Amino acid sequence: MPITVDIDVMLAKRKMSVGELADRVGITPANLAVLKNGRAKAVRFATLAALCDVLECQPGDLLRWEAEDAADAEGG
């Protein structure tokens, strides 16, 4: 998937654990793990806003788009 989730980067910058972030955002650690490991198919804007509020960052600090290489795009 061309969307990369950089929650780990912000957690390291803020010296915060996954458990602490989950508690402060109001989601389960399991759901946060799904999001941070790039397995989520969607994220609610309310959740994204809460993450940004707690981590004091912008959505672009947590999510970025990367083009897939030509082999992936052609199915090979």
Side-chain angles (χ1 to χ4, degrees), residues 1 9 18 20 22-25 29-30 32 41-42 55 58 60 62 64-68 72 74:
M1 174 178 281
V9 173
V18 171
E20 181 183 353
D23 285 345
R24 292 179 62 185
V25 169
L32 182 57
K41 299 294 182 199
L55 293 170
Q58 294 295 312
L62 301 176
R64 69 187 147 88
W65 179 83
E66 290 183 348
E68 297 183 69
D72 287 346
E74 294 172 9

Side-chain angles (χ1 to χ4, degrees), residues 8-73:
D8 284 338
V9 173
M10 292 307 298
L11 283 172
K13 287 182 178 179
R14 302 299 186 247
K15 297 178 173 59
M16 188 181 297
S17 70
V18 171
E20 181 183 353
L21 179 60
D23 285 345
R24 292 179 62 185
V25 169
I27 62 175
T28 66
N31 283 341
L32 182 57
V34 167
L35 180 59
K36 82 179 192 68
N37 293 326
R39 295 190 315 264
K41 299 294 182 199
V43 60
R44 293 178 189 266
F45 280 176
T47 302
L48 184 58
L51 287 165
C52 290
D53 184 41
V54 170
L55 293 170
E56 298 178 355
C57 66
Q58 294 295 312
D61 296 325
L62 301 176
L63 303 171
R64 69 187 147 88
W65 179 83
E66 290 183 348
E68 297 183 69
D69 64 21
D72 287 346

